[in-house]
Amino acid sequence: MFSRLGRFVVRFPWLVIAAWLIAIVAVVATAPKLTATTDQSDFLPSHYESIQAMDLQQKAFPNSTTPAALIVFERADGAPLTETDSATIVNAANQLAGQNIKDVTAIQATPPSENRLVQIAAVDMTKVTNPSDTRQSDAVKALRTALKQDVNGTGLKAGVTGTAAQTLDQTESGNKALAIIMFATIGLILVLLLLIFRSPVLALLPIIVIVGVFMLVGGLVADVSHAFDLKIDSSVQTLLSVVLFGVGTDYILFLMFRYRERLRAGEDPKTAMVSSVARVGEAITSAAAAVIIAFGALTLSTLGMYRSLGPALAIAVAVTLLAGLTLVPAIVSLLGTKVFWPSKAWQKEPTGARFGAAGAALGRRPGVFAAVSGGVLLILGIFALNFHPTFDMTSSSTSNASESVVYQKELLKGMPAGTTQPSQVYLQSGNGPLTTAETDNFKSALAVKGVGQVSEAKLSDDKTIAEYQVTLSDSPESDAALKTVKGPLRDAAHAAAPAGDKAYVGGMTSVFVDFQAAMNRDYMVVFPVAAVLIMIVLALLLRSFVAPWYLMASVFLGFAATLGAAVLVFQHLRGDSGLIFMLPLIMYLFVVALGTDYNILMVARLREEAREGKDPHQAAALALRHTGPTVAAAGVILAGTFASMMLSGNDMMSQMGFAISVGIAIAAFVMAMFFTPAVTALIGRKAWWPGHGGDAREVDLDSEWARLDPERGTARR
């Protein structure tokens, strides 16, 4: 099949290129705008308590909203606010309200905190539901500009925080991060490909192809999201760009390394490309299938965030694979050997001394290599047991220097940490209108440990539903706040509801509590299903029942080692309270799925060598010699691509970039390069059962080892 595809592409390259250009233009021109949401409640199913509370609020209190923003005032010298300062703050709030800033509906100053270190003004804004609606963000910008003028010369300082301000700062931080990542990724790919192939033509080829693929994928994802009403997380654009550049470059590398090998074997350029597609096509298709399955398995998630992210990334990989098998061969078939210009190094077979020596050593002592590489994975994996998830999305998804983060911390000098995002508790009567005694008793019951303030009850028009604003003592996304809502607050609310009544705890902290429960469920469903499906792909590729088991075991070790490395660096060495809660699933997406690529590439070459009659030790040695450079180059580029996320300036992207880049490095340089071939050599021909690794034949072992490691000459196996 792949041979026929290669012949068609090489025979009709202009037709293939034209088809791609028409597809890109048509999809981009007709696709709706891809919008993203930052509202985490959009991703939870309706049976969770936080969503039921939200539905009840919309039914009974449609106009009841938490202030969109908070203005935090304090003295510039840090001293307590005087009566004069407080009066100045009230006057400043009134002046801001009088300026009629667009989409600011009300500004109301509150009394100073008990210690008089801070005073706040609550800002109501036009309610927005569409994630692409920038009215609140624009209002925050105008408010910040006007605020600077109002406090100038008063001895006060002030800043805007709260939901709308945090959303603005997160968006700006995300856009900056995307620009940095794109620039760093493209620069890294160019530099590394120049070093590997010494050709500007080949260095630019992946960039040009992937930019076109990125445009096509963006349009297709927007079409699918619009058609199925999928909620796209705000990080999808960044992840799509990194996946496309990383995976796309990998697939092009796999093809070009084999193309160069066939040219050196004496084939003409067109025949060499057909041979390359035929030989590499099955391996990269299987690798892509494993990645697509891993991403597609996310549709089993209860979280809309992952149900939409999975198909988006699966589409990206599928289109990238198609480009790697058709568009790239078509372009290269037109260029021929000019694709390597001006370098002539492609004409000469490299000595491969390093990889030849490493392959020879592995072939002689596979047990040592398996024990050392497996030991490294196991030791790092032990640290994964200390993984602690954190839901602090506010500070971790933007710069610590952003105004919303700075003034949220200033707010803590005098106000409960939950002031910016109070929780809502609802009491719904099943026995007619609520009485004053019932609402008062229920309010008293909510004053549990971890709760700073509880407001008076606000009754619905028919007096059957009461709403309480509950300000937590801790930051809404903190571990302590989640613990309060999950335990004492929900328990107290449910227990205090009179017979026949129901109580619901809502708000963002409650959403995070339910998020945690949903993710624990997903870990038990998505991971096993994906593992089984990937094993089926491996079994079909390798025609083996044995190999998929130890390959998946090595992938699991790689996953644990990656998580352990992140825990070691961020929790133990840097002292962070935890890692971002979505990190294990993100690692699953990239480390398990993409890391499997390298295993597949290495084992496919192992099987190829075995089918040519090499014994298991020789096959492992030759596979490392020939495939090691490809895996190393691809691993460096993909790991470097993800490492660029660490330049974004926020903790969430830094943690994700570190974990994924380390995971890819482990997958390439420990798992695929040493652990997998060493274990395969130890198992021997049984690794290919019930198939066979090739017919045994007599081989001059001494000459084989001398060819693999010429510096050492003849050696015993």
Side-chain angles (χ1 to χ4, degrees), residues 144 148 158-161 165 169-170 172-173 176 394-410 648-651:
R144 284 175 171 172
K148 289 179 182 178
V160 183
T161 185
D169 291 341
Q170 288 171 14
E172 291 182 344
S173 177
K176 179 182 177 182
T394 301
S395 60
S396 63
S397 59
T398 187
S399 168
N400 289 331
S402 65
E403 187 170 318
S404 61
V405 173
V406 169
Y407 277 90
Q408 176 150 349
K409 292 178 180 177
E410 295 299 304
S648 63
N650 66 66
D651 287 346

Side-chain angles (χ1 to χ4, degrees), residues 5-16 270 274 330 333:
L5 176 63
R7 285 195 296 270
F8 176 84
V9 170
V10 169
R11 186 178 179 185
F12 304 105
W14 287 113
L15 178 63
V16 173
K270 292 188 180 296
V274 174
S333 69

Side-chain angles (χ1 to χ4, degrees), residues 516-529:
Q516 197 171 44
M519 289 188 65
N520 289 336
R521 176 265 178 197
D522 287 351
Y523 291 152
M524 302 299 293
V525 174
V526 175
F527 286 6
V529 169

Side-chain angles (χ1 to χ4, degrees), residues 39 45 137 184 226 253 288 292 335 344 390 401 439 493 625 700:
D39 186 352
S137 295
H226 181 73
L253 271 178
I292 291 168
L335 294 173
K344 301 294 184 182
T390 177
T439 58
R625 180 178 187 269
D700 184 345

Side-chain angles (χ1 to χ4, degrees), residues 200 253 255 618:
L253 271 178
L255 182 70
Q618 293 169 11

Side-chain angles (χ1 to χ4, degrees), residues 235-257:
S235 63
V236 71
Q237 291 277 25
T238 301
L239 294 177
L240 275 177
S241 65
V242 174
V243 167
L244 284 169
F245 278 101
V247 175
T249 305
D250 270 9
Y251 292 167
I252 293 172
L253 271 178
F254 296 164
L255 182 70
M256 294 310 299
F257 267 101

Side-chain angles (χ1 to χ4, degrees), residues 362 365-381 554 557-558 561 666-679 682:
L362 185 147
R365 300 179 181 84
V368 173
F369 277 79
V372 172
S373 56
V376 169
L377 297 175
L378 191 60
I379 291 170
L380 286 175
S554 71
L557 276 175
I666 288 173
F669 294 98
V670 179
M671 185 171 67
M673 201 170 292
F674 297 116
F675 185 74
T676 296
V679 171
L682 288 173

Side-chain angles (χ1 to χ4, degrees), residues 613-615 618 697-708 714-715 717:
K614 307 296 191 304
D615 77 35
Q618 293 169 11
R697 67 180 184 183
E698 293 297 324
V699 179
D700 184 345
L701 297 183
D702 286 340
S703 64
E704 283 293 324
W705 294 118
R707 184 172 67 85
L708 285 170
T714 304
R717 186 175 52 161

